[in-house]
Amino acid sequence: MENTSRTEPIDLGAAAERVARLAEGIDDERLDGPTPCPEYAVREVLAHVAGLSVAFRDAARKHFGPTTATPPGSSRPVLAEDWRTTLPRALGELAAAWREPGAWEGDTQAGGVALPAAVMGRVALDELLIHGWDLARASGQAYEVSEEELRVSEALLTPADGSSDEGFFGPVVAVPDSAPLLDRVIGLSGRRPDWRPVRGVPRTTA
């Protein structure tokens, strides 16, 4: 019997709303603080999330152009001055776009990469889940994710060849099988589940 769990539409609303709440809880003084992404401060993770929200929104709509064709690492993300207004709006539009008929059908593009829409929607969820964790850890906020969401990310991030070296985002961090599912997913994303910001140590940039 065919497993349709990897192709059926999923709702991104909870993940988008969770990231919006986390962003709302970040004070201005934390914007230059460190995150689990070594080269990104909090403000840059927020800017990255804003950019990917627009990209994946347009990917769902099949509106191809600069927002979907530009690789995420092509330039350093810059946080807009009005991000407290525009970021939650973009997150809401992202979730709404993937609820539209046809969003999960055919092929689409984001970050300059073409994929089946059913896969791209799962990539969008994973981006929200992982970067939500980044923001929660960087700002000291609680982070709770449903098992259903975590299973989607786990399936997406697990190396197809079964290796433990190279994952979707880079080298996998080994995490015991007995660890919570969230920790295992975070390890698959190339992050240390025990990461915490070091207080009193300023972030430096190259």
Side-chain angles (χ1 to χ4, degrees):
M1 184 175 181
E2 182 182 359
N3 182 1
T4 60
S5 63
R6 293 174 183 264
T7 59
E8 292 179 349
I10 53 179
D11 195 291
L12 306 186
E17 291 170 6
R18 183 168 54 242
V19 174
R21 288 195 302 271
L22 287 165
E24 184 179 7
I26 296 175
D27 298 330
D28 288 348
E29 55 266 28
R30 287 189 180 270
L31 292 178
D32 291 317
T35 74
C37 304
E39 297 182 358
Y40 279 7
V42 171
R43 68 169 62 251
E44 287 153 340
V45 173
L46 287 166
H48 177 63
V49 171
L52 71 84
S53 296
V54 172
F56 283 106
R57 177 201 68 193
D58 290 349
R61 296 172 177 175
K62 314 296 195 298
H63 290 175
F64 304 136
T67 62
T68 62
T70 304
S74 60
S75 62
R76 198 168 192 83
V78 177
L79 188 63
E81 292 186 5
D82 59 350
W83 69 272
R84 292 193 183 276
T85 299
T86 57
L87 176 56
R89 181 168 65 240
L91 286 163
E93 291 174 351
L94 164 65
W98 285 97
R99 294 188 185 114
E100 290 298 316
W104 295 82
E105 298 175 359
D107 295 328
T108 190
Q109 181 188 57
V113 177
L115 288 172
V119 176
M120 194 68 81
R122 283 159 171 75
V123 175
L125 173 64
D126 181 69
E127 289 277 351
L128 293 175
L129 192 155
I130 298 300
H131 290 307
W133 183 86
D134 291 336
L135 293 172
R137 279 301 167 93
S139 60
Q141 299 184 68
Y143 196 62
E144 296 183 2
V145 185
S146 72
E147 181 176 349
E148 180 182 7
E149 292 171 287
L150 288 170
R151 292 299 181 189
V152 171
S153 285
E154 181 185 39
L156 184 71
L157 296 175
T158 299
D161 61 1
S163 72
S164 60
D165 296 328
E166 194 69 20
F168 199 81
F169 288 105
V172 171
V173 173
V175 177
D177 292 340
S178 59
L181 180 56
L182 175 58
D183 287 359
R184 302 202 304 271
V185 169
I186 292 304
L188 287 170
S189 77
R191 293 155 169 78
R192 291 182 55 91
D194 61 353
W195 186 93
R196 293 290 190 284
V198 178
R199 299 192 179 281
V201 178
R203 174 182 173 274
T204 59
T205 57

